[in-house]
Amino acid sequence: MNAREQYIEQLKKYLKGLSQADRDDAIDFYSEYIDDAGLTTVKEIVDKLGTPEQLSTDIIAKTTGSQPNGPASRPVNYVNDRRTRTILYICLAVVLIIFLGPLALGLLLGFFGLIIGGLASIFGLGIWAFALAGSLFATDVWGAIFYCGGGIALLGLLIIFVAIVVWAIKWLYRGCKNFVRYLRNKSKEGA
């Protein structure tokens, strides 16, 4: 079922209150209109005509002579609610970035400082364990082996933490990139 057929089927459901002749006329008219306008997706059809429910409200209103209130009766310069919401969300994001950006940046840099400090501490302890093992090797072989094993364990732990930090940075980068892409797509939809 293509987009036109899908839209028309939904429209038929909402036009049940009309006589068969009026319903057939409306369905024929809007089927031809969709074909002539070259609308190929449901989104294009909804952007041009409104949802099937909105269009049916206009059709019924025009057929019965009452005041229409759907998208077809709106003026051309009507501002879409979704578009207005998108613009407001973008403005809110900009205001939050301006006011909370420095705080967030400080917290983020502090967090990364703690991570780097922790990694440096683990690295330092590992090197210290190797140095202690070297100094004990002549007097206490088993103590030297113990500290050497501790140094290897600490350096292994360092490698695991570095891998986790790299993964977290990539995850944050992808999240920020997807958020910016989402905002850009929303602003394009609103335009």
Side-chain angles (χ1 to χ4, degrees), residues 22-184:
D22 288 338
R23 190 175 2 175
D24 290 341
D25 287 343
I27 295 298
D28 291 341
F29 174 80
Y30 284 103
S31 288
E32 288 178 24
Y33 179 84
I34 292 169
D35 288 338
D36 292 342
L39 305 174
T40 57
T41 65
V42 174
K43 183 181 180 330
E44 290 175 347
I45 298 169
V46 169
D47 287 346
K48 189 74 172 173
L49 299 175
T51 64
E53 184 177 15
Q54 292 168 332
L55 181 59
S56 67
T57 302
D58 281 350
I59 293 170
I60 291 170
K62 288 176 184 174
T63 304
T64 60
S66 63
Q67 181 65 29
N69 60 359
S73 64
R74 293 180 182 142
V76 176
N77 63 359
Y78 173 76
V79 179
N80 191 339
D81 288 336
R82 182 175 52 173
R83 181 176 170 193
T84 305
R85 273 196 317 265
T86 300
I87 291 170
L88 288 175
Y89 287 148
I90 290 172
C91 290
L92 178 64
V94 168
V95 168
L96 287 175
I97 288 170
I98 289 171
F99 289 111
L100 297 179
L103 176 65
L105 183 63
L107 289 173
L108 186 65
L109 290 176
F111 179 70
F112 280 124
L114 284 173
I115 289 174
I116 290 173
L119 293 176
S121 297
I122 293 173
F123 179 74
L125 284 173
I127 297 300
W128 173 80
F130 280 123
L132 188 59
S135 68
L136 286 176
F137 193 69
T139 58
D140 184 15
V141 175
W142 292 111
I145 292 173
F146 173 77
Y147 283 111
C148 192
I152 291 171
L154 286 170
L155 291 179
L157 187 63
L158 176 70
I159 291 170
I160 291 171
F161 281 146
V162 166
I164 290 171
V165 168
V166 167
W167 173 83
I169 290 171
K170 286 181 181 179
W171 181 80
L172 282 172
Y173 172 75
R174 270 185 267 137
C176 290
K177 188 171 85 171
N178 289 339
F179 181 69
V180 168
R181 185 180 298 143
Y182 169 78
L183 287 178
R184 189 176 23 158

